[in-house]
Amino acid sequence: MAAREDMNRHGIGMTSQRTRERLLERLFEEGIRNLHVLETMRRTPRHLFVDEALSHRAYEDTALPIGHNQTLSQPYIVARMTELLLGGGPLDKVLEVGTGSGYQTAVLAQVVERVFTVERIYPLQERAKETLKAIDVRNVVFRHSDGNWGWPQYGPYDAILVTAAPAEVPVELLNQLADGGRMVIPVGQHEQFLTLVIREGDAFIRQQVEPVNFVPLLAGAIRS
Ligand code: SAH
């Protein structure tokens, strides 16, 4: 009874609990093997990051609109990017560019020490802040600005995750990556590839992981 009340309080009934389990099975079938990531996605309430009218679709493995012409990434992509970022071991400071709904931020914040997240659209950032507070994720700091410039004040970062696609990896982000650090970023205009960049001193080793389809990384911050 207590568990059921708890689930209702979070606006989710038994049916969606089953849908959530199915999503986890699907992520595993698609090749996600990091148990920490899978477990985190199991307990992160994705339905709270979309409009109520869309919440019944929150545990499908699809991208969903979040307003302002932006989308919340498909769960598989969130899992894959987080897994790639963690590939080198535990992470302390992580920079995220493109907070959006805050769902990827929430997953990330539960598997690393601290997240510094940057978003250019102010209302999206405000909403993400509220949602993260509601689910008690506290190790995140937010900045409203153009993420092409990173967040130099707290760098260098052990890892950088970018959730919008530039034509080329922004130089400032490379500069703010610590030695040995990892960046996961979709790169390309017409054809995009999820790319893993590992810094070794002054060298940046790149690996194209798989084709993806992200919204573009745009320039400048906007208020509304
Ligand atoms: N990770 C998000 C989805 C992001 S969609 C989620 O889980 O919901 C991409 C996001 O990147 C959008 O919110 C968009 O406004 C933001 N974005 C695009 N260009 C940006 C830039 N230059 N700086 C910061 N954020 C940017």
Side-chain angles (χ1 to χ4, degrees):
M1 190 62 197
R4 178 160 210 154
E5 272 168 17
D6 189 50
M7 274 191 286
N8 287 339
R9 193 155 49 80
H10 290 97
I12 183 158
M14 286 309 210
T15 320
S16 11
Q17 196 58 35
R18 274 201 299 277
T19 325
R20 284 166 88 158
E21 291 304 324
R22 271 203 297 275
L23 173 61
L24 264 292
E25 282 164 22
R26 193 179 152 134
L27 293 177
F28 188 81
E29 280 162 15
E30 287 174 317
I32 306 298
R33 288 291 180 272
N34 185 312
L35 294 181
H36 199 184
V37 172
L38 287 169
E39 192 44 51
T40 302
M41 293 199 52
R42 183 201 300 280
R43 60 167 188 256
T44 306
R46 191 171 184 253
H47 65 284
L48 297 181
F49 293 83
V50 291
D51 266 2
E52 233 173 304
L54 285 171
S55 58
H56 66 289
R57 302 194 51 200
Y59 298 97
E60 292 173 14
D61 193 15
T62 51
L64 292 171
I66 55 172
H68 304 267
N69 287 325
Q70 304 303 318
T71 52
L72 199 175
S73 307
Q74 179 192 355
Y76 165 73
I77 289 293
V78 172
R80 188 84 178 103
M81 290 177 89
T82 313
E83 186 175 74
L84 282 167
L85 213 66
L86 287 173
L91 298 170
D92 178 12
K93 281 196 292 180
V94 179
L95 173 68
E96 179 192 46
V97 174
T99 318
S101 69
Y103 176 70
Q104 168 77 75
T105 322
V107 170
L108 195 56
Q110 294 173 80
V111 298
V112 306
E113 283 300 315
R114 290 179 284 170
V115 178
F116 300 80
T117 187
V118 181
E119 169 60 53
R120 67 184 286 274
I121 302 177
Y122 187 71
L124 283 180
Q125 184 197 38
E126 287 302 291
R127 186 161 174 212
K129 260 189 203 169
E130 279 171 28
T131 314
L132 289 182
K133 200 169 162 198
I135 63 167
D136 214 24
V137 169
R138 295 170 184 277
N139 54 336
V140 179
V141 282
F142 298 83
R143 177 173 156 100
H144 174 228
S145 76
D146 178 352
N148 278 291
W149 304 103
W151 191 345
Q153 189 186 347
Y154 295 104
Y157 300 94
D158 302 313
I160 299 179
L161 187 148
V162 184
T163 71
E168 298 290 339
V169 180
V171 172
E172 272 311 309
L173 296 184
L174 293 171
N175 288 340
Q176 290 168 37
L177 193 60
D179 195 6
R182 299 161 79 86
M183 180 177 346
V184 175
I185 179 170
V187 184
Q189 263 169 331
H190 305 297
E191 262 202 317
Q192 297 173 5
F193 273 91
L194 190 61
T195 306
L196 171 66
V197 183
I198 300 179
R199 179 169 197 166
E200 288 179 10
D202 288 334
F204 295 90
I205 319 296
R206 287 169 183 239
Q207 185 190 324
Q208 284 191 339
V209 180
E210 60 189 275
V212 283
N213 190 10
F214 277 81
V215 295
L217 186 76
L218 299 173
I222 56 176
R223 283 307 290 183
S224 57

